[in-house]
Amino acid sequence: MPLKDPVLCKRIPTDPWGEPKNRHYVGYDEFVKTGGYESLRQAITMQPKAIVDLVKASELRGRGGAGFSAGLKWSFLPEPDGEQRFLAVNADESEPGTFKDRMLIEFDPHQMLEGIAIACFATECDTAFVYIRGEYHHEAKILQRAIDEAYANGVFGPKSFVGKVNGRTLNCYVHRGAGAYICGEETGLLESLEGKRGWPRIKPPFPAIKGAFGRPTVINNVETLAMVPPVLTNGVDWFKSMGGPSKLNPNAPGSYGPKLFGMSGHLNKPGVYEENLGVKLSEMIERYCGGMRNGKKFKAAVAGGVSMGLLGTDQYDAELDFDIGRRYGVLGLGTAGMIVMDEDTDIVAATANIVRFFSHESCGQCTPCREGSGWLHQMFQRIMAGEGRMKDIDLMDEIARSMGTMPGTTICGLADGTNWAVKTAIEKFRGEFEAKCKPSLVQVGVNIGA
């Protein structure tokens, strides 16, 4: 069932509920007049554990990549010991094809700030760091403006109404990254936040136990935190009325609530659209994006940021929920950034570009990722230069399948992004690879006679 009314885009004009040209910055006063910070005022009347339990019961899952339960993540923090605890907000958004968090920060940042304040109250954190992508110069200034307004009106600071309840001083800071893809990985983000090189950490210990500056830390994505206030105000049943349970296992976490989808590529109307989880890719393309550009046919789509791999031509009706990985042979829903490709797309060239990106962004800490992504990049360069061999296809597939956290050879998932892009492209479009490669000739000696 289509989404009836916008939730995250309530104040951001978006098709079909409003004209994007009418978008503007929603400041504190306008935010409050339209119901803003009411959820926070409700939250401070509750026990912190009750808020955690409510978010857990809603099955709100992370909107930044892995889709892990937000409430369950909050519950991992140990009991307070009187020392500092942190909330790290992942606003790095460096996954190619992803631009939904940028929209939230640029036009309605207070809904994220309200979610931050609720999350800090629920988990008894003292300080929130919003780690924002280095290239988001404009958005960082807007976010700082919103934070200043929040301080001036008692959301943060020594006189915050949150502090009056729990006796803590709640602070929120913007921390600007330097443009490294790897800092979107949560432990790489923490290393960068501490002023060190953005190298992912070995886990355990997990951030909930030993995170920023060695203290318990919650890490949530922008969209995830923006979704917390509506869940708190409207309740679990309201949230679960959108989306649905897992279609693979009724006992597994479901795909509930609305979701922002970043639609780009060969579309008539690319953009960010809000719809319930479980909507079909074809419906997003035809109903929201005005169909394929120039009347061309659909060929493929990046499943949700380039690290998720490719949906094939026969997967035009793929349902966009957290089951997408096991149902359609991709890594997952990821950030729900869909890059749509038409019939004229050179899949080999597109995959080569993805591999070039991952090879460049590998931090170099793990040998299989550092060397494997480099080898794949070189092999793609050879194929694109017309010097590829048939055996290169199987060799690339073999390399891809031997690198990443899933084979257990790397610390973080950057290598998985590389390998899923390669192996889904080869699996679903092998004919295109073969068309660019030369037959491999192997000389064989034959003895005739006794």
Side-chain angles (χ1 to χ4, degrees):
M1 182 181 295
L3 183 66
K4 293 181 180 179
D5 298 298
V7 179
L8 294 170
C9 293
K10 176 181 177 181
R11 304 173 190 88
I12 306 174
T14 304
D15 289 334
W17 298 283
E19 288 289 338
K21 66 181 180 181
N22 295 326
R23 291 175 179 174
H24 62 281
Y25 169 76
V26 177
Y28 178 85
D29 292 337
E30 183 181 352
F31 185 71
V32 170
K33 286 179 182 177
T34 53
Y37 289 116
E38 287 301 317
S39 296
L40 177 57
R41 295 185 184 279
Q42 176 188 342
I44 60 177
T45 66
M46 303 169 62
Q47 291 297 317
K49 187 177 184 302
I51 300 173
V52 174
D53 289 341
L54 186 149
V55 174
K56 191 190 299 184
S58 73
E59 297 187 41
L60 169 63
R61 297 173 66 172
R63 266 58 174 158
F68 193 79
S69 166
L72 190 60
K73 182 182 284 190
W74 293 3
S75 70
F76 289 157
L77 265 68
E79 290 295 318
D81 58 3
E83 300 296 325
Q84 280 194 312
R85 295 148 69 94
F86 300 107
L87 169 66
V89 184
N90 192 339
D92 192 61
E93 196 163 56
S94 51
E95 180 73 17
T98 309
F99 42 92
K100 60 185 180 61
D101 293 343
R102 180 178 69 182
M103 183 185 77
L104 293 175
I105 293 170
E106 185 172 353
F107 298 111
D108 194 9
H110 280 282
Q111 63 176 325
M112 178 190 69
L113 298 183
E114 184 175 18
I116 288 172
I118 293 171
C120 285
F121 180 77
T123 57
E124 300 185 62
C125 291
D126 311 276
T127 304
F129 296 103
V130 184
Y131 188 100
I132 192 168
R133 178 177 176 174
E135 290 89 347
Y136 282 1
H137 305 288
H138 176 63
E139 288 76 14
K141 293 176 182 177
I142 289 178
L143 180 57
Q144 187 60 59
R145 173 184 171 185
I147 290 175
D148 292 342
E149 293 175 349
Y151 268 93
N153 288 279
V155 178
F156 302 121
K159 297 181 180 179
S160 71
F161 44 84
V162 174
K164 291 177 182 177
V165 175
N166 62 12
R168 294 172 177 267
T169 298
L170 177 58
N171 286 303
C172 182
Y173 304 103
V174 177
H175 185 98
R176 297 187 64 177
Y181 172 83
I182 199 64
C183 291
E185 193 276 333
E186 61 177 19
T187 60
L189 182 154
L190 294 178
E191 289 287 293
S192 177
L193 184 65
E194 294 176 1
K196 295 179 285 187
R197 181 176 181 174
W199 270 16
R201 300 174 179 174
I202 296 174
K203 296 181 282 190
F206 291 92
I209 305 300
K210 187 177 180 181
F213 310 103
R215 296 296 302 161
T217 304
V218 176
I219 306 174
N220 284 135
N221 167 260
V222 170
E223 185 187 350
T224 309
L225 290 165
M227 197 68 246
V228 169
V231 170
L232 196 68
T233 298
N234 298 297
V236 171
D237 291 341
W238 167 83
F239 186 70
K240 287 192 168 184
S241 69
M242 297 169 280
S246 171
K247 294 181 175 62
L248 296 174
N249 181 358
N251 297 318
S255 299
Y256 295 108
K259 180 78 185 72
L260 296 180
F261 295 92
M263 305 296 295
S264 61
H266 301 147
L267 301 167
N268 285 317
K269 289 170 54 181
V272 177
Y273 299 96
E274 185 175 9
E275 189 45 275
N276 290 329
L277 281 165
V279 63
K280 291 181 178 181
L281 173 63
S282 56
E283 187 175 354
M284 291 301 301
I285 292 173
E286 294 166 12
R287 186 153 65 91
Y288 288 95
C289 302
M292 299 294 295
R293 191 177 64 188
N294 299 325
K296 298 289 182 66
K297 294 179 181 179
F298 170 84
K299 182 174 185 177
V302 164
V306 296
S307 62
M308 296 296 109
L310 297 179
L311 292 168
T313 307
D314 60 344
Q315 297 173 331
Y316 184 53
D317 289 321
E319 294 178 17
L320 307 181
D321 59 21
F322 291 112
D323 287 335
I324 190 174
R326 287 180 292 170
R327 294 183 71 192
Y328 302 103
V330 292
L331 182 55
L333 184 64
T335 60
M338 305 289 161
I339 305 176
V340 180
M341 308 176 204
D342 67 24
E343 58 189 312
D344 295 334
T345 303
D346 185 334
I347 295 295
V348 181
T351 310
N353 194 38
I354 293 172
V355 170
R356 177 201 58 80
F357 170 80
F358 282 121
S359 177
H360 178 267
E361 292 295 337
S362 174
C363 76
Q365 185 175 189
C366 304
T367 302
C369 178
R370 180 186 67 244
E371 300 299 324
S373 61
W375 292 342
L376 289 169
H377 177 43
Q378 291 178 39
M379 294 174 75
F380 267 103
Q381 284 184 307
R382 186 165 71 222
I383 290 173
M384 295 307 297
E387 298 299 323
R389 302 162 298 181
M390 283 294 182
K391 63 182 181 181
D392 287 342
I393 302 172
D394 291 328
L395 182 56
M396 287 194 301
D397 191 53
E398 181 182 349
I399 293 171
R401 292 178 187 276
S402 62
M403 55 189 282
T405 55
M406 289 185 181
T409 60
T410 60
I411 293 172
C412 88
L414 184 143
D416 293 273
T418 318
N419 78 45
W420 278 88
V422 172
K423 66 190 182 186
T424 55
I426 292 175
E427 178 184 340
K428 298 174 182 180
F429 298 95
R430 188 180 182 94
E432 292 200 25
F433 283 83
E434 293 177 346
K436 286 184 180 291
C437 294
K438 300 175 182 178
S440 299
L441 301 177
V442 180
Q443 290 187 346
V444 178
V446 180
N447 292 324
I448 301 176

